[in-house]
Amino acid sequence: MIHLVPLNESLVDAVARFLAGKGLDLSSTLVVYPSRRLRVFLLDALGRHFPGAFFPPHLLTVDGFFQALHTRMEPAALEASELDAVLVLDAVLKDLFPAGTYGLTPGNDFLDRYPRLLQFMGAVEECLVEGARLEEIDRNVYSRFVELGEYHREYKDFLARLPRVVEGYTIGLARMNRASRGMIYSRVAAAAEAGEIALPDGVERVVFMGLSALNRSEQRLLQRIFSDHAVELFMRTDADALADDDSPFALQRQTLDLLGGERGPAGESRTRWNAFAGRVKLHPCGDRETMMAALYRELSAAVAACRTPAELLRIGVVLPDAGALVPFVQGVVSRFDMSAREVPFNITLGYPFSRTPLFQLMDGMLNLARQRRGDLFPARLHLDLLR
């Protein structure tokens, strides 16, 4: 059954109430959710709904669910590490593009090629996760299609051979008895379509929560599970906006139409998806400094309007990426006069280690050692390290 949870209700609480109220055997129930953080909140909610000790259900992320199903299919296969996958891809690209391709220069040190190889691997993995049927591609039609675009020549050459790159990548990892995330998704989706999927041992019911837009592999798997097993799907949405093609919930409607199944009554929502229309103020900013200056003006005004510490906790700032964290600290946080009034900033955004001074020092030392020639070091790298 499909359960539509109104926007003004908690998805986690709705799932916990269902599990506690139905008297289900939680030991035979598997809950699948999109991110690891939901596990903490779901266990907390279950603890509030069960008066005493209880055995929680099986809990898996979507990735973990695919891995568990793949392990039942291929018990001897190990999950490929990033380095395993990159090394295999590097060998495949060297074989297919001996003269180099699209930013990969032959003869370069592997560590110099590594960042670019990760980008190539992302494209290959996306093909696999999205369930690309490479064996059904008409290579002649595909080659002519690639030539239609106004792209860089090297990019066209890479796209033309992308199916062969993906094939070589999967064959290379399979020979090592390894499977990447994309291979796991692709294999499980193919097995689901063939009706050869078995749930983990002891699982009789699957509860999906928080899934909205599905990739092709997820679609094929959930269609099979909805067809063959006892399933509950909890989706937080605005039921009245599902039919609106201009709303973000149109993608949820596509998922619901694909899966079919009986729908439970949609709760009345007191919150609409466009409830913030007319309440959102846009500030055009030409660069990051201008953005931080505008953010400080708005934030300082909001802080000044707060009378108690509890009111300050109602203010949140969402940054677009980790690269904006240092400009935010320098251009916004540091401008508040903490001596006059303490403003307790609680920053939860992780900062990439690769951007810290410690990493830059270590990276510079390793680069210097790697390019050492006898007793000589490249002057540019040596000077960069000294700076």
Side-chain angles (χ1 to χ4, degrees), residues 87-101 106 113 161 164-165 168-169 175:
L87 286 171
V88 169
L89 180 61
D90 191 35
V92 172
L93 293 176
K94 284 180 178 178
D95 181 56
L96 293 176
F97 304 96
T101 180
R113 297 162 57 86
R161 300 187 192 182
R164 294 175 60 188
V165 172
Y169 175 76
R175 285 174 180 167

Side-chain angles (χ1 to χ4, degrees), residues 277-294:
R279 297 168 58 190
V280 177
K281 184 178 180 181
L282 301 179
H283 300 265
C285 300
D287 52 36
R288 183 161 288 177
E289 291 184 0
T290 306
M291 179 176 68
M292 293 304 165

Side-chain angles (χ1 to χ4, degrees), residues 1 3 18 21 50 83 105 134 138 153 192 294 323 362 385:
M1 176 175 287
H3 307 262
F18 172 82
F50 282 89
L83 184 58
T105 305
L134 301 176
D138 185 321
R153 180 72 260 169
M362 295 172 60
L385 182 61

Side-chain angles (χ1 to χ4, degrees), residues 147-184:
E147 291 296 326
L148 295 177
E150 296 295 332
Y151 308 122
H152 193 276
R153 180 72 260 169
E154 286 188 345
Y155 185 53
K156 285 188 176 183
D157 291 341
F158 174 73
L159 289 180
R161 300 187 192 182
L162 182 57
R164 294 175 60 188
V165 172
V166 176
E167 288 175 354
Y169 175 76
T170 56
I171 291 172
L173 284 175
R175 285 174 180 167
M176 298 168 54
N177 203 26
R178 297 289 190 273
S180 69
R181 176 177 179 267
M183 291 172 63
I184 291 172

Side-chain angles (χ1 to χ4, degrees), residues 288 291-292 295-296 299 316-319 321-336 345-347 349:
R288 183 161 288 177
M291 179 176 68
M292 293 304 165
L295 177 57
Y296 172 73
L299 196 56
V317 178
V318 180
L319 298 178
D321 57 71
L325 180 56
V326 170
F328 173 73
V329 172
Q330 295 177 341
V332 179
V333 176
S334 64
R335 296 181 64 181
F336 280 88
F345 284 93
N346 179 24
I347 298 176
L349 177 65

